[in-house]
Amino acid sequence: MGAALFTTGPYIEMAISGQTVMTPSVENGVVTWRVPLGNGAVPHVSLEDCGPYVRWLFDHPERSNGMDLLVAIANISYSEMATAFGKVTGHPAQYIDTEFDTYFEKLGPMADAPAGFNADPKDKATMSIRRNFTGWWMQFRDGVLERDYKLLDEIHPGRIRSAEDFFRREEERLRRESGGKTGLWESVQKGNLKFVLKLSEDGRKGKL
């Protein structure tokens, strides 16, 4: 009997979805990401690519047994993210590096709520959203996560390889599904952002 691990990263879909830690806003006609990333980069993964990677693990046990397959599109800076969005949509976008205190201010009291919505706030082991995501963003700022992109190219030759590649595919999908009426630009407007995370869709409600 063999075993393997499949390790992903933040979904790039979160960067254009509602109620995530990198949800964009439209400020004076400019799509804007205000996150505490500094000059770092995030090893984003696309949900679309996960299936082929997992299938490869099952189809090649002679290689995957004992492997931790760490996947990503690329280590993507948010300056690159903004440039790619503008190139694909023709609308301006920007990344604004944000201090942690300013970043968490916009969450209000939620910043000090438990990171796990079923966790007991009185439990000393409970971690707040502020503490959890300070460390989360710092790992990307400091560039501590690595991926073997040569291996990923071998496993999934048709994989998404850049933010621009992802945005082009997403733009095409949205236009196709809406009969040409809606694209990326329209989808990130206030009131149009969809949820990609179940936690957001459920409004952090429910009990185990």
Side-chain angles (χ1 to χ4, degrees):
M1 179 178 178
L5 297 176
F6 178 59
T7 299
T8 63
Y11 311 139
I12 195 169
E13 290 85 356
M14 292 168 63
I16 51 171
S17 299
Q19 295 184 26
T20 76
V21 292
M22 65 269 293
T23 295
S25 58
V26 180
E27 303 177 11
N28 298 316
V30 181
V31 174
T32 304
W33 285 276
R34 292 181 179 269
V35 294
L37 183 57
N39 294 318
V42 179
H44 276 296
V45 63
S46 173
L47 291 168
E48 180 181 325
D49 282 341
C50 290
Y53 287 129
V54 172
R55 178 61 186 265
W56 182 89
L57 289 173
F58 282 108
D59 287 349
H60 298 83
E62 73 286 352
R63 292 184 63 186
S64 65
N65 185 25
M67 173 186 284
D68 182 2
L69 181 58
L70 299 94
V71 303
I73 293 170
N75 286 52
I76 300 172
S77 73
Y78 271 50
S79 294
E80 177 187 348
M81 184 87 76
T83 298
F85 187 94
K87 189 173 182 180
V88 170
T89 66
H91 292 275
Q94 63 182 338
Y95 157 57
I96 298 177
D97 185 31
T98 305
E99 294 293 330
F100 278 103
D101 286 345
T102 302
Y103 174 77
F104 287 115
E105 260 180 27
K106 67 182 180 182
L107 298 181
M110 183 62 69
D112 296 305
F117 70 88
N118 277 309
D120 182 357
K122 298 178 182 178
D123 189 329
K124 293 181 179 180
T126 294
M127 183 177 289
S128 68
I129 289 174
R130 185 190 304 272
R131 288 186 62 198
N132 182 75
F133 284 102
T134 295
W136 193 84
W137 282 110
M138 285 300 296
Q139 67 182 332
F140 305 134
R141 287 172 68 102
D142 294 344
V144 300
L145 302 181
E146 298 181 355
R147 297 290 188 265
D148 184 346
Y149 291 109
K150 183 177 180 180
L151 174 63
L152 298 183
D153 289 343
E154 176 192 348
I155 292 173
H156 184 16
R159 72 183 186 86
I160 296 171
R161 297 167 188 258
S162 67
E164 182 179 339
D165 190 3
F166 169 75
F167 285 144
R168 288 198 182 283
R169 296 189 193 200
E170 192 67 7
E171 174 78 6
E172 291 171 3
R173 181 187 68 80
L174 289 167
R175 293 292 179 192
R176 183 175 62 253
E177 293 179 356
S178 67
K181 296 178 181 179
T182 301
L184 271 173
W185 169 251
E186 291 79 13
S187 73
V188 298
Q189 301 302 309
K190 187 175 182 179
N192 291 346
L193 287 162
K194 305 296 185 183
F195 297 133
V196 68
L197 298 178
K198 183 64 174 171
L199 179 74
S200 301
E201 186 178 37
D202 290 345
R204 290 177 60 88
K205 296 179 181 178
K207 293 185 178 181
L208 295 176

